[in-house]
Structure formats: structure tokens, C-alpha cells
Amino acid sequence: IFPPPGQPAVLRSEILQGMDPERAAQLVHELPPRPLRMNFPPMGAPGGMPPFGNMSHNMNHFRNGPMNSNGVDSTLSRQSRRLYCGNIPLGIGEEALADFFNQTMIKTNLTAGSLPPVVSVHINQEKNYAFVEFRTPEEATAAMAFDGIVFQAMTLKIRRPKDYQPPEGEVHEVPQIHVPGVISTNVPDSENKIFIGGLPLYLNDEQVIELLSAFGELKAFNLVKENNVGASKGFAFCEYLDPNITDIACQGLNNMVLGEKKLVVQRASVGSSRNQGGPSGTHNITLHHNLTLTGANSTEVVHSTVLQLLNMVTPEELLDDQEYEDIVDDIREECQKFGNVLELKIPRPVDGANISGVGKIYIQYSAVEEAAAASRALSGRKFADRTVLTTFFDIERFRNNDF
């Protein structure tokens, strides 16, 4: 235990008494100053110290890393430089995970300098998570933007450690950085957070994201599941990158019929602009009372003779004339199994024009019963490796091509 010249020694008599001298010397550098007789987190747990097996690596880092005036890395400094990374690929090594973060941050210009931002990685293979430590707090904050990024077919969940405390006066600890193509797995409470209830249980994350993305690019999405990893509970939360899309998506998706269920889509929380009694400029967030909904509401589903099919075709597939005709023939042939098809409309993209309904299919049957039978049979089936979603559509809007 040798402090820098002119600095007092760090005493840990109550902790170090009777301990192996070499281990005691390591602990002086590893443990930041804390009040004695506290309950420390378990080794390797979120917010706790790494296992002692990595201690020599940590010692080298702390000798070369940022030091405070006492030569000991402070608790706040280290907390601000570390991130919890869950759902990591099975069997991944520390070096491979560090390389992924380093390369991705350099590629997206989120580094604070020319050196690699990651200085150490500690993996708990048994529980499938890791702690990643960065050179600076700013780089750790920037790396929060990678929450939801896909690495070796696994969607990473990136969070602050449980013992993290944001700097005094800082309210929003998550950076306002969006990495194109990355959808965060954490949807924070805000006036733009959307609740989606009544989802068919067979839909997975990718299929619900595809449905929601029809209105715009998603910033965050979370399909609620049993114990966070099991079967879907039938409801989700999301937030769009463009706040102006929030009400448009709610209006377009609310009351949509998927199979035999009816979606309930609305803002999950209300900001101060909707709280008449709140002081001007404040942001008191209150959750809606009906957020307990986990499925369709009790309102009877309104059927019609027109069925709308979603998630079957992409705009790119409709560009080629021959491919378009093949799609029309295939869909007409299949849909005629459930009733008399009067008309089939599949809007196509046109260069320089904004055509509504592109990517959706509209089928008019001669009777409501036929459309209902087709909805039950087609919903959840596969078409070109996509899960088909069905909903009834207003007959007048169908006739006017108001898609």
C-alpha cells in the first residue's frame, strides 16, 4: 500500500485485518472508498466487483487509468464508465465482445479520441451477461445508444449498473443519440410512449416491429413476455423516432382487428400538456388507468365484406409487372377458397407519387361471413416467410381507394 508522494495512505484496517497481504494490497486499489460495514454487492453481480480471477488485469488498468488525488478510482467515476450488457451470445469471449463495441463505436463516430473506447470486459457465462468498462464516462453514455443492437443473432440489452447514480442535476441519463437500424429494448416513460394491447400471442418481436414500422421508424420497442424471456403476454410498448408519428400510429392501429382480437393502441402516459392542473413548464407523468389491459377490449368487433391483409408483400416486390401478376394470381386463388371474391386491390408504388396503401392487400367478398371465414383462416399463416395479419376494412373507403 504505497500512496503517491505527498499523499496520505488509504487505511482499510477494519477490512484488511487478518487478510492475506497480497490480497489486501489488491483490494486497496480495487475497492473505491466506501463507508465501512456496508452490504457490498456479490462478486460478479450487477453493480458488484468482477471475480478475483480478473484482478491482475484490473490492477494494470487502474495503475494506468484515471486516478483521483488519493490514487484510488472513485466510486462515482467507475460507475459512470461501466455498462451492464445482457443477452450476450453464448460462449462469447471478452476480447470478441470488446472488439465489437470498439469497432461499432469507431464506425459510428461515438468515440472521444483515437484510442479504443473499451478498456475491460468481464463476462458471467453462467448468467449470460457482461460488464463493459470504457475509458471515459462520455463514451459509456454514448454506448447506451447500442441498446437493442444485434450481435451474432442476439439482441443486446444495455443498461446502467444497478448501483449507478447519475451526476447531480442530470435528469436524462440516456443519450439522445439514435443509431440507424438500432431499436432500443428500453421504452422510458414519456408522453410519446405508446401502449399496444390485444396482440395475438403467436406474434414475435420482429413481426410486431414490422407492423408498427409501417407508420415510421421506431426508436424503442418492448414486447412484454413471461419472465422477460418466455411467451408473449399480448401487449407491448414502443416509441417512434419522430414524435409527430405518435398520434398518427395510435389512430391507425387502434381498433384494428388481428385475427379474432382487436388492438388497443394509445399513448401510455400523459405529459404536462394534457394535465390541466399542472404548473406551466412542469412534466408530471401519470400512467393511464387502463394500462392493465392485456388483450382486446370488450367492444364487439365490427366486421365488413372487405378484408385487409398486412405483412404479406413489400413495395419492392410490387415493382416488377410479372412478379406483381403472380402475386395477384396466388392471393386470388387462395382467397377464393373461403368465398366469392368480388374485387382484389393491391396498391403499387409509382415513381414520384405518394400512393397510399402500398404493401397492403384488400379483398372484397360478397358476404360478411365469407370475409370472417377468410380472416380466421389466413391470420397467422405464412406467406413468403412472413406472418399474415388480417383486419376488416371499411367498404366505403375501399370503394374510394382511401387506403
Side-chain angles (χ1 to χ4, degrees):
I1 308 176
F2 299 101
Q7 299 295 332
V10 179
L11 298 180
R12 295 289 179 87
S13 56
E14 292 189 34
I15 297 179
L16 307 180
Q17 185 175 5
M19 185 178 292
D20 177 76
E22 182 178 354
R23 176 68 58 82
Q26 291 174 338
L27 280 178
V28 168
H29 290 274
E30 178 63 23
L31 286 176
R34 282 175 146 172
L36 299 177
R37 294 177 293 276
M38 286 184 64
N39 293 322
F40 296 101
M43 297 294 181
M49 291 193 303
F52 281 116
N54 297 322
M55 190 67 75
S56 60
H57 174 77
N58 294 336
M59 289 294 293
N60 290 331
H61 163 62
F62 282 115
R63 291 190 186 102
N64 299 320
M67 295 287 183
N68 65 10
S69 58
N70 291 328
V72 181
D73 204 32
S74 69
T75 303
L76 182 60
S77 176
R78 190 173 187 217
Q79 285 175 339
S80 64
R81 290 187 282 109
R82 302 173 74 222
L83 293 180
Y84 167 86
C85 183
N87 201 38
I88 60 177
L90 294 176
I92 190 70
E94 295 177 349
E95 185 177 353
L97 189 59
D99 288 342
F100 172 74
F101 274 95
N102 285 331
Q103 295 173 10
T104 307
M105 292 188 69
I106 292 173
K107 182 179 179 180
T108 52
N109 295 320
L110 294 181
T111 57
S114 59
L115 296 176
V118 176
V119 296
S120 68
V121 174
H122 304 288
I123 295 180
N124 187 319
Q125 297 286 2
E126 182 180 352
K127 296 186 178 180
N128 200 38
Y129 70 81
F131 280 101
V132 182
E133 185 169 346
F134 297 83
R135 286 188 304 114
T136 66
E138 292 76 18
E139 288 173 326
T141 299
M144 291 282 292
F146 294 129
D147 176 46
I149 196 170
V150 177
F151 176 44
Q152 295 187 7
M154 301 295 288
T155 301
L156 302 184
K157 294 185 177 181
I158 300 175
R159 303 285 189 270
R160 295 285 191 183
K162 289 183 178 180
D163 60 352
Y164 172 76
Q165 295 180 357
E168 186 177 354
E170 182 178 323
V171 178
H172 301 289
E173 63 189 50
V174 179
Q176 300 302 313
I177 301 174
H178 176 70
V179 179
V182 176
I183 301 175
S184 175
T185 63
N186 180 37
V187 188
D189 289 337
S190 73
E191 63 178 9
N192 294 314
K193 182 176 182 178
I194 298 177
F195 167 77
I196 307 102
L199 292 167
L201 300 182
Y202 55 77
L203 294 182
N204 59 27
D205 293 69
E206 291 75 17
Q207 292 159 349
V208 179
I209 287 175
E210 189 165 359
L211 172 65
L212 298 174
S213 297
F215 293 87
E217 186 175 359
L218 288 172
K219 178 180 180 182
F221 169 80
N222 178 34
L223 178 63
V224 181
K225 302 174 183 177
E226 298 286 348
N227 298 323
N228 295 324
V229 294
S232 167
K233 288 188 175 183
F235 66 99
F237 296 93
C238 77
E239 182 179 350
Y240 285 94
L241 184 60
D242 182 0
N244 296 321
I245 297 177
T246 303
D247 288 327
I248 298 174
C250 290
Q251 182 178 0
L253 292 169
N254 191 44
N255 293 325
M256 175 182 286
V257 179
L258 297 181
E260 290 300 312
K261 287 194 172 184
K262 194 172 184 180
L263 293 185
V264 178
V265 183
Q266 61 193 17
R267 289 178 182 264
S269 55
V270 181
S272 62
S273 60
R274 290 172 176 80
N275 290 337
Q276 300 298 327
S280 175
T282 61
H283 294 275
N284 299 319
I285 303 298
T286 56
L287 295 178
H288 274 299
H289 64 279
N290 50 7
L291 271 184
T292 55
L293 288 172
T294 59
N297 58 17
S298 59
T299 305
E300 183 181 356
V301 174
V302 179
H303 294 65
S304 77
T305 58
V306 178
L307 196 63
Q308 179 181 230
L309 305 181
L310 307 171
N311 202 35
M312 287 188 68
V313 294
T314 64
E316 292 76 19
E317 295 171 340
L318 304 175
L319 294 174
D320 183 78
D321 292 339
Q322 184 59 51
E323 188 174 1
Y324 176 80
E325 293 299 330
D326 291 341
I327 292 174
V328 171
D329 292 340
D330 290 345
I331 294 175
R332 185 183 297 275
E333 180 181 356
E334 184 64 25
C335 291
Q336 284 176 341
K337 297 177 181 179
F338 313 106
N340 182 27
V341 176
L342 299 180
E343 192 173 3
L344 173 63
K345 295 182 180 181
I346 306 180
R348 300 181 67 184
V350 177
D351 290 339
N354 185 16
I355 307 299
S356 62
V358 174
K360 302 177 183 178
I361 299 170
Y362 303 87
I363 306 161
Q364 183 184 14
Y365 284 91
S366 58
V368 173
E369 294 75 13
E370 296 171 342
S375 175
R376 289 191 296 270
L378 297 175
S379 182
R381 286 179 56 180
K382 292 287 187 177
F383 183 85
D385 294 328
R386 304 185 191 98
T387 301
V388 179
L389 308 176
T390 65
T391 178
F392 294 101
F393 196 76
D394 181 73
I395 182 64
E396 291 300 324
R397 293 180 59 188
F398 174 78
R399 290 169 178 167
N400 297 327
N401 295 327
D402 180 13
F403 302 136

